[in-house]
Amino acid sequence: NPENLPLFVIILNKMIFYIEIIEDESNLFFSKDDIDDTIEVVKSHISTIKNENNNQTFLPEAENSDIAPFNKIMLSPQPSVGIKLLQKVGLLAIVFPQIEALKGVEVIDGCRHKDNFYRTIEVLDNVCRTSNDIWLRWAALLHDVGKKDALARNIKNMHGHELDSERIAATWLAETSIEKDTRKTILWLVRNHMKALDLRVMRSKYDIWKLVKHPLFRRLEKLASADLHGTLNENGIPLENFHDILMRPIVSQCIENE
């Protein structure tokens, strides 16, 4: 019964309606002013939404055929559109504070670090260009969620952030209705997304073989490729292509050999 839903769920569903309009460029029935007016209305309800939600994270009904509002965004052709809109109106901090926390460019002891919020949703969009796999998309959204914690340990780099990301993702996923095996899939992809990039330098044939022969490696390959595609040089061209990493002789041999 819609009347029994928390206000933030009702508002989120309304936002989905406008997000779909924004994504459909051929839809001319609504003007930018209409959408801007709606955004202002949502902003005016934020304090009420926070009180009714009691600052709890929104949990998607991920295993149900009638998927929750946030998963509707995740299944859209370009999820960044909806996620940025939620951030703009203040809903993201309510429905997914872990992702909201990534926003902002930090300068620590003279070291400038990129905005991991925009970097994350860029990688998510890149994944969506090659896959409709909802769990791969969730892995893309969560793969760098631990970077802030890693940065707190080491101001010059974020080495080991994949383990922080796995920990934060595991805590959040454990509170959802997502089945245990599916959670394991998402967490394996999050934990190993940097290991896929380590194929550039790995020398142990056993370690390479163990990774590339894993049942989830093809999914990991798409995540790593999307991650690399978001790292551009000064001319806006990707610095690396994951396919080139896979063509490294020792790696390609392990892929070809059973």
Side-chain angles (χ1 to χ4, degrees), residues 67 70-79 132-134 137:
I67 58 177
F70 200 90
N71 268 345
K72 291 181 182 178
I73 295 175
M74 292 294 284
L75 287 168
S76 67
Q78 193 177 351
N132 292 322
D133 183 341
I134 182 64
R137 293 183 178 202

Side-chain angles (χ1 to χ4, degrees), residues 228-233 236-241:
L228 276 182
H229 192 74
T231 305
L232 309 177
N233 64 19
I237 299 172
L239 289 173
E240 285 186 274
N241 187 314

